[in-house]
Amino acid sequence: MLTVMVLLNLMLAAQAAPDATAATWGSAVATPGQRAHGYLPVPGGAEDVPPLPVTVIRGAKPGPVVALMAGIHGAEYVPILTLQRLAAKLQPETMRGTVVIVHIANVPSFQRRTVYYGPDDWKNLNRVFPGNASGTPTERIAHVLTHEVFDRVDAVVDVHCGDGNEALSPYVAFIANAPDASVTVRSRAMAMAFGAPTVKPLWPDFSGPTRYTSATATARGVPAIGVEWGGEARASPEELNRVEAGLLRVLKQLGVVPGGAAAPGKPRFVTWSESVMSPVHGLFTPGVRPGQRVEAGARLGEIKDAFGRTLAVPVAPFTGVVLYVVTTPPVNPGEPLVSLGQVTNTLPTRPAAAPPRAPPVVLNHFYVVLPAEAFESLRALDFLSDTFAQVDGGLPEFKVPEASAQALYVRGQDTYLELLGPQNAFGEPVGKVGVGLSVEQAGTLSRLAGPLRSALGQKVQQTRTRRRFEGRGEVPWYDVLYREPSAPDASLDLWVSEYIPEFFQALYPDRPWNAHDVSRRALLGPRFKPERLLRNVERISLELSPRRAHTFIRELVALGYQQVSSPGDVFVLQGDGLRWQVREAAQPRGLLEVGFSLNRVKTGPHIYDLGHGAMLEFSKDAPEARWVLASPGRAPRGNTGRP
């Protein structure tokens, strides 16, 4: 390491030829041995942008030019106050080279006390580099920093902390894949010299806009690091002292300030990091703290609406350490809640593979128990089986339903409906709805147990179901994961299943089989009738009691569905080709409507009256339809966990 530092010092010193002329950044002008304050203007555009306050400290001897920058996010106060102190302490008569301090890079955000975004255009300055000279205020600031700072210096230190709404575990980051490999070496040496407890190598994509400060500088051949220390709009003396000490070590390591630059202790290294985003507008209460280790599926906090109703319970997608967490209540869709990282004691030399996580969850099928008159009408409807879909009486033969059947299986390409009569063999009451989700990767069902358990705070069971085949005996059919409710659910059951390959081999013995294929299409593909109308279920609308609605939404969010609208009369969630609409009612009606995707646009009649207040309505110019149900009445209590 000492050799690397010496070489780095020599290289940077060689870049700065002896020069007795003044160093000028905006109105800040300093000759050798001088300190000067001034402002760097942000020209262009229709809206005025306040100039950026800068201090230029010109050493008595030639050397590298180093930029220290704070306030990229205006509510990050530890770096702003630290650079204010450091600017007064640096002694130009003992320095080599020049230190250019940008005290507040995002003056509009600082003045208006906004987190993340500029108040005029609602853009994140650290996401718009290299900027635009004639763009929005935030883009123009980025352009000035790129061309008036990064292009004119030999090294950049961009100092951050947790924004005004974030608590953070300190770390320093550097670009590990700079286009010029020597820039990576020099950036890494700066990061190690700073002395943070954690170092985070970054591997950005340089094929598009650089977006971030450090990536922009390194893409232009300038070594750079990003410091993160402090947060929550606070600035304790201890935090200021630690950041100041780290910056002085970097300046010593670069040869600007005399003295040794040995960093305290050995850092840990982040190999993978990822932020858990809010799926909805709401009020977030964190359940973890910076530096805490959490297991995959662990509960990270809870999001509620303005009335205190739970909207979502975010969980950890993998096992890792909390890097930062949002600590103020307001959250918006797509904004971070918690950042997690996986750490090691060894500096990684290449990007890590994404850690294992819960698999995608898709709709397999659902059932609904209809009143006798409605079920009889559907069973007698020739259009249902002749034109609309493949309809059968169930596995394993897929036979035409008998005249007395109490179950109709309406098959699409990937999803199917199970329509039950009141005398069904499962003992389900009229009005009951069951939602069967599934995974399509063999051996992944168990990864969902943790997220479900954390989100619901209840026991989650995983069991295996078998099916008897003539001549083969009992064959494993599927594994099923379901919660144990504190009381039976009269209106709705939900479970997640995973098919077993042996089941498909028994069901279709003449087909070549891929043992890893446990998809819905493996079951339904051979039975799919593309000449008929139905392709898949794409929307389900439910009306549930407030208590069951909240639990159901938490289940869906824990299983990967994203809430896409603010709560009101309808809660809307989206994921993997399916849209859920959930209403609350004191006297819930259960299943209200089902939306279908079709194989083609239907010609001829577009509305079919199914009787008893139900109808099947087709779009005239799009391949879609909807089944609107009549109110099934209140359902008696009952419970099942059966796919």
Side-chain angles (χ1 to χ4, degrees), residues 75-83 85 89 159-163 166-171 194-195 197 227-247 249 290:
E76 295 179 359
Y77 302 129
V78 169
I80 293 172
L81 296 178
T82 301
L83 292 191
R85 293 195 336 178
K89 289 184 179 181
V159 193
H160 289 256
C161 64
D163 217 323
E166 296 171 343
L168 181 141
S169 182
Y171 66 89
F194 186 89
V227 176
E228 297 277 1
W229 203 306
E232 297 183 288
R234 298 172 181 154
S236 69
E238 180 183 9
E239 289 170 334
L240 298 181
N241 290 338
R242 288 183 177 272
V243 176
E244 181 182 304
L247 293 174
R249 280 191 294 270

Side-chain angles (χ1 to χ4, degrees), residues 40 82 84 103 107 115 132 136 155 170 282 289 313 316 358 368 389 398 404 448 494 581 632:
L40 189 62
T82 301
Q84 189 181 70
H103 291 276
V107 176
V115 298
N132 183 345
T136 69
R289 63 186 183 278
V313 181
V368 59
F398 299 99
S404 61
L448 295 170
L494 178 142
Q581 297 174 330

Side-chain angles (χ1 to χ4, degrees), residues 374-398:
F375 182 77
E376 293 294 337
S377 296
L378 283 172
R379 188 170 58 184
L381 184 65
D382 291 337
F383 172 79
L384 186 67
S385 56
D386 293 344
T387 305
F388 186 68
Q390 159 74 21
V391 180
D392 58 66
L395 303 176
E397 293 87 4
F398 299 99

Side-chain angles (χ1 to χ4, degrees), residues 388 417 598:
F388 186 68
L417 292 71
L598 305 177

